[in-house]
Amino acid sequence: MQKWIMFVFFAAASVLALFLLTFGLPEKPVDESAGLAEGVSLLKIKASNYEFDQTEYKVEKGSKVKLLLQNTNGIHGIAIESMNVTLTKDSPSAEVEFNEPGTYPIHCSIPCGEGHLEMKAVIVVQ
């Protein structure tokens, strides 16, 4: 009886191992803030079809921020014209220092479809 149980257990473990080798293990999450210089904070902006994940992003005056574009659905870009910043799929990050308080409009810089013109948000520097 014990040999039968051990055989079933071994067979199930073999099937599970074969499944994981075939379809792969899930990717480990990456900590994007791990490599940041001291005093630099991370601002991740997620873009999906015709919208950003937030309509307003807040940062402190005088702060150094690493902007990171993450496309979750579709291909998008970010333009902050008043800061001369453009993020795309090929260059998804930039370090920016916000010295002046105010509102900095951002918009999608890559024509992504009929909702492209409404794809806007703001960064508010307090």
Side-chain angles (χ1 to χ4, degrees):
M1 182 77 169
Q2 289 178 345
K3 290 181 184 179
W4 177 250
I5 293 173
M6 291 302 283
F7 174 75
V8 170
F9 178 73
F10 179 74
S14 298
V15 169
L16 178 61
L18 184 61
F19 175 80
L20 291 175
L21 287 173
T22 303
F23 295 105
L25 296 171
E27 292 183 22
K28 293 181 180 178
V30 177
D31 183 12
E32 289 102 357
S33 63
L36 292 178
E38 189 174 326
V40 177
S41 60
L42 179 68
L43 176 60
K44 188 185 302 185
I45 301 174
K46 295 181 182 180
S48 61
N49 283 342
Y50 317 125
E51 63 183 3
F52 295 110
D53 62 329
Q54 298 178 32
T55 57
E56 183 176 280
Y57 301 91
K58 294 184 180 181
V59 297
E60 295 294 322
K61 176 187 170 196
S63 63
K64 292 181 182 178
V65 177
K66 179 178 181 180
L67 299 172
L68 179 64
L69 168 65
Q70 184 178 26
N71 283 314
T72 58
N73 195 353
I75 298 175
H76 306 281
I78 293 176
I80 308 171
E81 292 175 359
S82 58
M83 300 287 292
N84 246 357
V85 174
T86 302
L87 304 179
T88 63
K89 177 183 153 193
D90 297 328
S91 61
S93 66
E95 281 193 24
V96 180
E97 189 169 353
F98 291 98
N99 292 320
E100 297 296 322
T103 302
Y104 296 84
I106 64 175
H107 62 88
C108 182
S109 61
I110 298 174
C112 55
E114 61 185 57
H116 169 72
L117 295 176
E118 287 81 36
M119 195 167 172
K120 298 178 184 178
V122 295
I123 296 176
V124 177
V125 180
Q126 303 173 345

